[in-house]
Amino acid sequence: MTASRLLRPALAACLLAAMPMEGSAASGPPAKPVPLSMDAIFSPGGNGHLASQLAWSPDGTHLTYVWKDEQTATGTALWSLDTATAKAEPLFHTNDFKGRWKDKETFALADYFWSPRGDALLVSTGDDLFLYSLGGRELSRLTETQEGRPAPEDPKLSPQGDRVAFVRDADLHVLDLASRHEIALTKGGKKDVTQNGIVDWVYGEEIWNRAPTAYWWSPDGKRIAYVQFDESPVEVYPIVDYSPKYPKILWQKYPKAGEPNPRVRIGVVDTAGGETTWMTTGDEEGYLARVAWTPDSRELRIQRLNRDQTRLDLLRCMPTDGRCTPLLTEEHPTWVNVHNDFRPLPDGRFLWSSEKSGWRRLYLHDAEGREVRALTPEGWALDSLLALTEDGRAVVSGYSTGPLGATDRQVLRVRIDGDARGQVDTQVEKLATAAGTNVAVVSEKSGWFALTWGDGDHPNVTTLRRPDGSEAATLPGAPPLYD
């Protein structure tokens, strides 16, 4: 299974129903519920839907999202909501580009990414990459995938916004946006044999929970760390597709319990090209589960999980010579959960979550891996670290360890360091506490966030929130057709 298939289902399956009013983020009046029937349950949009693919501009002043207009012929649109006015406008409709390229009768928006410069968006159609200029409102083509050739996968803009990296034919490539010059940083890639910068089935499904990645830009844009998979020890398993008249068989590399996993290693390569420096991570049977650069681009942090998943090590690795040493270790006799809560800080300290108390909490550690203090207090279980805002606070989702537990997920904020007087405050600041499930997409620059809330009696709704949690606008949404 490719990374693109793991990352996102078909866009057309999740973008259905009405368009918001022009120039406004607010949705119209809800449709009158219809009696529950089999037709209603299985009708397009029967379950309702929300604006999707929410993303913040680098300066935190605009929230972009995807919405489909079923009432007109304009098709799917990418919208931008201005926090200053709480008004939204479409940046473009996919039908604006219909027929512009001979090999694309229609234009599909599979994914998009803000440029770190804030002046453009990288747009993926699933088989090619485009650059949308916000100033000129123009879309230019970056890649042109020939028929029968694999499409670029897992595109990522450089931290400087001048280049884009992607994987094609199981090798890592970099494209300069100004010159359109493309170079391959790795060679020898071949699907199901040697994969550079793209995950295999085991990592995509089990380690990354269907949201995988396998390469990381250094903050200075000079190097890329990537994972290489040697699939040769892994046997294949038949997956039968019974939907056609005559079933088809897909042969999937799939290690059964106790059988060999792929051989995995992490390397660092210069973005101008050259030889790869391989990290000496040890434990060849284990998983290299997470990778991050330090803010100064000098070191790597790699999370190594043993195959029994009872021990998780955070390694400090040197990209210059590959040396790795442990910073901290988590162990449990039955199971250690891998998390996405590691954040390196500019002064060498880092944030890390642990379940060692019986509930997951967020901790601050010094540069040598020693625990400084817990950031989330007792009585609260951490669900995930959502953002690290510029004012020195961590925005998290979590829930009380009381009776309602995980059925009542809230959005909270905690201070990393002391206040202006040096006093350490371990109390959580509650940003979204309505009973039910609260999920937030947070701007690390401005602290604004988009909050999606719902519970067992109410369909989800997404609102724009100020840094203090107060509501500024409502994003488009359509309720279920039936009550």
Side-chain angles (χ1 to χ4, degrees), residues 18-28 51 63 65 67 79-82 85-90 464 472-477:
M19 172 76 86
M21 296 174 61
E22 191 77 14
S24 172
S27 60
L63 175 71
Y65 57 88
W67 185 257
W79 286 69
S80 178
L81 195 161
D82 188 341
T85 63
K87 299 296 184 182
E89 64 172 353
L464 177 68
T474 302
L475 271 67

Side-chain angles (χ1 to χ4, degrees), residues 49 131 139 193 206 228 242 303 311 314 323 333 394 437 460:
H49 71 287
L131 191 69
L139 189 73
V193 180
E206 305 295 344
Q228 182 186 79
Y242 290 100
Q303 294 183 41
R311 177 187 174 105
L314 179 65
R323 290 183 297 112
T437 298
N460 288 349

Side-chain angles (χ1 to χ4, degrees), residues 60 241 276-277 292 340 358:
D241 178 7
T276 295
T277 301
N340 294 309

